[in-house]
Amino acid sequence: MIEDLDPVIHAPKRLAAMAVLSAATSATFPFLREHLGVSDSDLSKQMATLEKAGYVAVSKTGRGRGATTSYRITRAGRTAYSRHRRALAAILAEDPDPGG
Amino acid sequence: MESERIDLAAAQRAAERAEAAPYIDYPPTPAWYYPVGGAWAAAYVALLGWWRTHQVWLVLGMLALSALVGALLGWYSRRAGAMPSFRRIPRELRRGYAFYLLGVLVVVGLVALAWWLLGHLAAVATAFVVVAVGLLLYDRAYAAAARRTRERLA
């Protein structure tokens, strides 16, 4: 079970980003930044890691100050996130003290 | 080991809160939304009255109304920052979505009844009033359910 926890997703900020994207068709950079409570550079770094793993896809619309960066979860990302969530739930459902 | 479980429990809770975010973290609905929604429905019903006599205008009008819905969804998506995908719906909101579908059926029924009993113009007026009021009531119910979700996951 513990081996099903995905090290890419397990980091708290990336877990929160994947959780938001798992329930949204897409989310903008400002929405994720506000929800995660992180700086622009930190969010960029976290999202680049998820993108590199193939878990999110990025798209940009507009130019200059009006440009918007959006993210959506990929099929591989959805599968990995679901597996991670199931593993979390299963570990927590186990009796912590079976002998007691 | 225990501290690891506490960390995992915190991670699970954070994930649950983040999954709910696209549904419950949204800007307030502007006051113009309800009458505009009513006007959209009234225009739709008005166009339906042309199905025998002005079929080209009926098709063009329907396309224009569809384009308006697309523009509204795009505007909302940019404004809210995230569009719910109807996956992982928080439990407090599931009943609201079911009532929304039921509400659509009630609106269609009332408009059809007004058309049958009182004529086309009455149906247009009914569509405006029922949809505007329905959207207002739904929005308030949704906001209350979103607040309950926020409290549970706080």
Side-chain angles (χ1 to χ4, degrees):
Chain A
M1 248 176 302
I2 199 127
E3 63 277 4
D4 283 336
L5 290 177
D6 188 319
V8 176
I9 300 176
H10 195 54
K13 291 167 193 170
R14 293 199 288 274
L15 174 65
M18 289 295 285
V20 169
L21 293 172
S22 74
T25 53
S26 69
T28 61
F29 189 92
F31 185 91
L32 288 169
R33 182 189 55 208
E34 199 169 313
H35 188 79
L36 272 63
V38 294
S39 64
D40 283 7
S41 60
D42 194 6
L43 181 60
S44 294
K45 205 166 63 183
Q46 305 298 339
M47 298 314 288
T49 304
L50 292 172
E51 200 187 346
K52 198 174 162 193
Y55 291 172
V56 302
V58 61
S59 63
K60 290 178 196 234
T61 53
R63 286 183 178 190
R65 289 177 66 85
T68 309
T69 301
S70 298
Y71 297 92
R72 66 172 177 79
I73 197 166
T74 61
R75 189 186 292 260
R78 190 174 295 288
T79 305
Y81 178 72
S82 294
R83 192 186 307 125
H84 186 86
R85 281 288 271 126
R86 273 198 305 273
L88 258 183
I91 293 165
L92 289 167
E94 275 183 343
D95 185 357
D97 187 12
Chain B
M1 180 63 190
E2 190 51 33
S3 69
E4 202 170 294
R5 286 184 68 82
I6 290 169
D7 287 348
L8 291 179
Q12 189 185 41
R13 197 157 180 76
E16 225 180 305
R17 176 65 181 81
E19 285 165 6
Y23 294 92
I24 62 175
D25 297 339
Y26 60 95
T29 308
W32 56 259
Y33 172 73
Y34 316 109
V36 165
W40 186 94
Y44 189 95
V45 175
L47 282 174
L48 288 180
W50 286 357
W51 73 278
R52 274 176 205 262
T53 53
H54 298 82
Q55 285 175 351
V56 174
W57 287 108
L58 170 69
V59 172
L60 290 176
M62 290 295 179
L63 287 174
L65 288 179
S66 301
L68 266 178
V69 171
L72 185 71
L73 285 175
W75 167 81
Y76 180 83
S77 174
R78 283 190 300 277
R79 183 168 179 261
M83 276 294 268
S85 62
F86 296 100
R87 292 171 190 257
R88 302 182 186 278
I89 301 172
R91 62 172 177 255
E92 290 86 352
L93 298 175
R94 280 180 211 147
R95 190 196 284 191
Y97 285 120
F99 273 116
Y100 181 84
L101 293 177
L102 193 66
V104 170
L105 292 178
V106 169
V107 165
V108 170
L110 286 174
V111 171
L113 190 66
W115 197 330
W116 183 53
L117 291 177
L118 304 165
H120 183 218
L121 276 181
V124 171
T126 303
F128 176 80
V129 173
V130 173
V131 169
V133 172
L135 286 175
L136 178 67
L137 294 177
Y138 173 74
D139 198 44
R140 288 190 176 172
Y142 188 96
R147 195 169 50 246
R148 288 196 298 276
T149 310
R150 277 186 223 107
E151 284 165 6
R152 174 171 61 87
L153 299 173

